[in-house]
Amino acid sequence: MAGARSLTETTLTGLFWTSLAKGAQAIVQLAAMLVLARLLSPQEFGLFSAAMVVAGFSAIFSELGVSAAIVQRPNLETRHIRSGFTLAVVVSLVVGPIVYFSADGIARFFQIPELADVVRVMSIGFPLQGISTVALSLAQRSFRFSWLASVDAGAFAFGFLVVAPALTMLDFGVYALVGAYLAQQAFRTLVLLLGSPHAMMPMFERRAVGELLFFGAGFSMAKLANYFATQADNMVVGRWLGPTALGLYAYAYQLMASPATLFGQILDRVLFPTMASVQHEPDRLRLAYRSGVFACSTVILPASAVVAVLAPEIVLILLGKGWIEVAEPLRILAIGMLFRTSYKISDTMVRAKGAVYARAWRQVIFAVAVLLGAAVGQNWGLSGVATGVVLALAINFLLMAQLSLELSGMHWRVFWQLHIAGLVLALILGAGSVVAATWLRDAGMGPVWVVAGTSLVSVVLLPLLVWVRPQLFLGPDRIHFLRMLAKVVPVKMRGGVVFLQNRA
């Protein structure tokens, strides 16, 4: 029982500090978006987005699932660490030159000739991800959540708040973003290697490599399919609608995915090593999954409703009038925020249990669904692409939930019950946002005042609703959760937690 308490407190502590660090990273990303959207054109962002499709695809092969295999492996030995590091470095050093010499073919595929030079420059940084693979996985395995989030935030800030604006001022154009990407990768790799040291002496033990690759190959297959799914829409837009449309769509998707990705990354970074450590204890694994699903639906559903209402003002504030065409696809994509986030919780459960091959074929279906949805939808422009992508996200959400329920022994009835609180919050906060935003727009208020006034309504309503019905909005495990939370939050915050505990 002491072990259970220790793990729970470790998980909550990780969630708390990772949330703070990731929140700081989100602020940095927002600041970068505000600055760079006013210094660069949609076409330049489109070029960079196309190059990032290639970068992400290459990253999958640069580490072959070694990182996830090390985190998931029940018994980790030095031979696994050394062999995994050697494998990841060798493969990443092969992938970089392959991409470099394939740049012309990649540009022809996208029908964007100027993309070739951008890809060549970016390929220089691809090996860095392989070099830092084992350091990253060991930090995750050791539950160093807040440190990892701080590293990510610091690397992004260095690249996109320091390097990118400086290069933009020097008229580097799209290469300002490329330089920021390379600086980010170099900074992150250096800090990971210094802060999470490990044995780097080359070793290629066949048995250790086989044990890592059995999990890693299935993981990479699923990751490859998932990556294709998350980039198929960009490929369709870039090829058939052009780089300017891709720049607009990429920002719409980023604005939708940022809160979803932020929340999903927080839960995944903490829950994956936690679930992996109790993968052979069904009750504790099911409890962790249930808590993740409830937290995800309760946060993301109301957030999606507010984003859908305020889409035009969000675009005007963050990007400016020149990007107003982003608003409509953003409104549609906001509907898919839950699907985009919740499937990551299911994905975490599946990886923790090692069911990577069952995960892989579901991700293939997801990839095909995105490709078909985007390809058909592009006939109706960016809004059509967004609609097709939301439908594909819904399919993946259901497929991954089914697999997770099978592995955890939880029933569909319980799964849907966990979404009731989020749905109620979405309906109430969404309705309040519609009323407030409509009134403020009719009163001639500017976008900043519309967002501020509408957000104030949510800020007032949310704690009031939790105070009135804590049994609903704090979830089925509220008493246990609040007791553990009271132990890990700073002293000044414990009074509010104790008050909610008494109410619940």
Side-chain angles (χ1 to χ4, degrees):
M1 195 66 182
R5 285 197 299 270
S6 176
L7 184 63
T8 301
E9 290 182 25
T10 298
T11 303
L12 287 175
T13 302
L15 286 172
F16 179 78
W17 291 109
T18 301
S19 298
L20 290 181
K22 283 291 184 180
Q25 183 178 349
I27 293 173
V28 171
Q29 290 175 330
L30 178 61
M33 185 183 298
L34 284 167
V35 173
L36 295 176
R38 287 159 174 79
L39 295 175
L40 298 169
S41 69
Q43 183 177 8
E44 289 168 324
F45 274 102
L47 262 177
F48 182 68
S49 297
M52 284 301 295
V53 172
V54 180
F57 181 79
S58 303
I60 297 171
F61 295 97
S62 294
E63 54 109 353
L64 291 178
V66 169
S67 179
I70 288 176
V71 175
Q72 193 270 345
R73 183 157 187 80
N75 300 309
L76 185 67
E77 302 173 21
T78 302
R79 61 191 180 92
H80 296 114
I81 295 173
R82 289 176 57 189
S83 297
F85 176 73
T86 303
L87 180 65
V89 170
V90 169
V91 173
S92 68
L93 290 174
V94 171
V95 169
I98 289 176
V99 173
Y100 182 92
F101 290 109
S102 302
D104 289 328
I106 294 169
R108 283 195 296 271
F109 172 81
F110 278 96
Q111 297 184 347
I112 306 175
E114 55 268 39
L115 180 62
D117 289 336
V118 176
V119 169
R120 288 193 186 96
V121 177
M122 287 188 67
S123 68
I124 299 171
F126 294 169
L128 293 173
Q129 297 184 22
I131 294 171
S132 62
T133 289
V134 173
L136 170 66
S137 59
L138 290 176
Q140 286 183 293
R141 189 180 175 93
S142 301
F143 304 115
R144 298 178 64 186
F145 306 122
S146 59
W147 180 74
L148 283 172
S150 300
V151 171
D152 288 341
F156 185 91
F158 177 67
F160 288 89
L161 276 183
V162 178
V163 175
L167 293 179
T168 302
M169 296 298 184
L170 295 173
D171 294 326
F172 273 74
V174 67
Y175 291 98
L177 297 173
V178 175
Y181 167 81
L182 294 175
Q184 177 190 17
Q185 295 302 317
F187 182 96
R188 185 172 180 269
T189 298
L190 179 62
V191 175
L192 284 172
L193 291 177
L194 292 175
S196 182
H198 59 83
M200 296 184 186
M201 185 66 66
M203 182 180 187
F204 201 84
E205 188 194 78
R206 187 173 299 178
R207 183 183 171 193
V209 171
E211 289 169 345
L212 292 174
L213 287 184
F214 177 77
F215 179 91
F219 175 84
S220 294
M221 288 168 57
K223 190 173 182 180
L224 179 62
N226 180 267
Y227 186 75
F228 183 80
T230 58
Q231 298 296 336
D233 48 351
N234 286 331
M235 289 189 284
V236 168
V237 174
R239 182 175 174 84
W240 279 286
L241 300 181
T244 299
L246 177 57
L248 294 169
Y249 179 78
Y251 252 137
Y253 195 92
Q254 183 178 348
L255 288 172
M256 176 278 290
S258 290
T261 301
L262 173 66
F263 192 73
Q265 284 178 344
I266 292 170
L267 290 178
D268 179 73
R269 176 159 285 180
V270 175
L271 289 181
F272 177 44
T274 301
M275 287 181 172
S277 69
V278 296
Q279 59 185 282
H280 300 302
E281 301 178 51
D283 291 340
R284 295 172 72 184
L285 188 64
R286 185 164 48 249
L287 175 62
Y289 178 63
R290 186 174 69 183
S291 299
V293 170
F294 176 81
C296 181
S297 62
T298 305
V299 171
I300 297 299
L301 276 171
S304 66
V306 175
V307 170
V309 172
L310 295 176
E313 285 77 18
I314 291 174
V315 171
L316 288 172
I317 292 172
L318 296 182
L319 307 179
K321 293 181 180 180
W323 296 79
I324 192 59
E325 292 177 78
V326 170
E328 190 55 32
L330 171 61
R331 194 190 300 275
I332 297 170
L333 287 168
I335 299 171
M337 284 177 65
L338 174 70
F339 308 139
R340 176 70 174 75
T341 310
S342 188
Y343 93 81
K344 287 184 172 293
I345 309 302
S346 298
D347 189 70
T348 300
M349 156 69 79
V350 172
R351 284 183 286 125
K353 289 289 288 183
V356 288
Y357 292 95
R359 172 182 178 242
W361 70 258
R362 285 170 172 82
Q363 294 308 291
V364 171
I365 294 176
F366 178 34
V368 172
V370 172
L371 180 62
L372 291 177
V376 173
Q378 58 90 20
N379 292 294
W380 291 272
L382 294 183
S383 295
V385 173
T387 302
V389 169
V390 168
L391 292 174
L393 287 169
I395 291 171
N396 187 50
F397 165 75
L398 294 172
L399 285 173
M400 292 302 295
Q402 180 274 325
L403 179 57
S404 296
L405 295 179
E406 180 182 317
L407 292 172
S408 65
M410 198 167 81
H411 298 292
W412 276 107
R413 175 179 53 82
V414 176
F415 179 79
W416 293 122
Q417 286 175 345
L418 295 171
H419 291 77
I420 292 175
L423 184 60
V424 172
L425 281 175
L427 291 173
I428 295 175
L429 296 184
S433 296
V434 169
V435 172
T438 302
W439 183 81
L440 291 167
R441 288 165 184 159
D442 291 343
M445 296 293 183
V448 173
W449 291 107
V450 173
V451 171
T454 305
S455 299
L456 181 61
V457 172
S458 298
V459 169
V460 172
L461 282 176
L462 185 58
L464 179 62
L465 291 170
V466 174
W467 182 79
V468 172
R469 291 296 304 274
Q471 299 87 348
L472 174 63
F473 298 118
L474 293 180
D477 305 305
R478 57 191 176 277
I479 301 298
H480 180 66
F481 170 75
L482 290 170
R483 284 174 180 169
M484 291 299 101
L485 188 62
K487 296 180 180 180
V488 300
V489 300
V491 176
K492 293 182 179 180
M493 300 176 64
R494 291 179 184 174
V497 177
V498 172
F499 177 75
L500 284 176
Q501 186 177 326
N502 294 333
R503 287 277 303 164

